[in-house]
Amino acid sequence: MLIDRSAKVFTTAPARPSSLRRRALLATLCVALPLQAYAQTPSAEAFLRDLYAPYLTGANQGQNYWDLGRYFAPDLARLMNDEARDARRRNEVPRLDGDPFVDAQEWDVKNFTLSVKTDGSSATAVVTFDNYGKAKRITLDLVLTPAGWRINDIGAPSGSLRALYR
């Protein structure tokens, strides 16, 4: 602020070009950084390929599906966690008594295929494989969350994962 002492009038100095450039840069970054984060999110297919990779090694390794936030949509993860906690309190086995990604307690996955159709912030995938020689077909509904792609439901021969918690 400049003071013109002769007229006793206060005036505001125009913003310097460097100040305007800084403000414009800051505004651009505020918009671009969140978009950049989504742009760097792996695809739904990459998420699922990473998820199923341990099942394909032949070492009978799977995923720790109880790392709920890593794999499941927040509301489904909350339902699963609440039910498992209640089952522990009752000294009972939780409703989910097998690996939801292969719909089995044990596996020897062969002939794995994955097909994914993405529509904006949702995707549907179909996974097929043989487990101990028996054909399996699993459908996964995914949603894009701020943390990346997460599973919103799994449809398997044994039923829907989400329906298990209704």
Side-chain angles (χ1 to χ4, degrees):
M1 193 178 285
L2 300 175
I3 300 173
D4 182 353
R5 294 195 188 280
S6 63
K8 298 195 186 224
V9 176
F10 298 96
T11 60
T12 304
R16 294 186 297 175
S18 63
S19 175
L20 290 175
R21 278 192 295 266
R22 276 189 238 128
R23 288 181 189 165
L25 178 63
L26 180 61
T28 301
L29 288 174
C30 287
V31 171
L33 287 178
L35 294 176
Q36 177 81 10
Y38 272 112
Q40 292 178 352
T41 300
S43 69
E45 182 174 349
F47 169 74
L48 291 172
R49 288 208 180 276
D50 287 346
L51 185 150
Y52 277 98
Y55 297 91
L56 307 177
T57 64
N60 209 17
Q61 295 291 316
Q63 294 287 3
N64 177 10
Y65 54 87
W66 286 110
D67 187 358
L68 300 174
R70 182 175 174 195
Y71 301 109
F72 299 102
D75 64 320
L76 180 57
R78 197 170 22 262
L79 289 170
M80 294 170 73
N81 185 59
D82 291 350
E83 192 281 328
R85 185 188 60 239
D86 292 345
R88 277 191 303 273
R89 284 185 192 150
R90 294 187 309 268
N91 239 2
E92 295 176 358
V93 175
R95 290 181 191 165
L96 183 60
D97 190 26
D99 189 313
F101 305 133
V102 292
D103 193 35
Q105 292 181 340
E106 296 179 9
W107 55 88
D108 181 28
V109 174
K110 305 283 187 214
N111 303 319
F112 178 85
T113 66
L114 170 65
S115 171
V116 180
K117 291 184 181 162
T118 304
D119 184 16
S121 62
S122 63
T124 301
V126 175
V127 173
T128 61
F129 55 89
D130 294 334
N131 188 26
Y132 290 111
K134 183 178 177 187
K136 289 265 189 170
R137 183 177 194 271
I138 296 179
T139 304
L140 299 107
D141 294 326
L142 296 103
V143 293
L144 184 58
T145 71
W149 288 99
R150 296 297 182 264
I151 298 167
N152 196 43
D153 196 11
I154 298 176
S158 66
S160 161
L161 180 63
R162 196 169 276 279
L164 185 63
Y165 294 98
R166 287 192 187 132

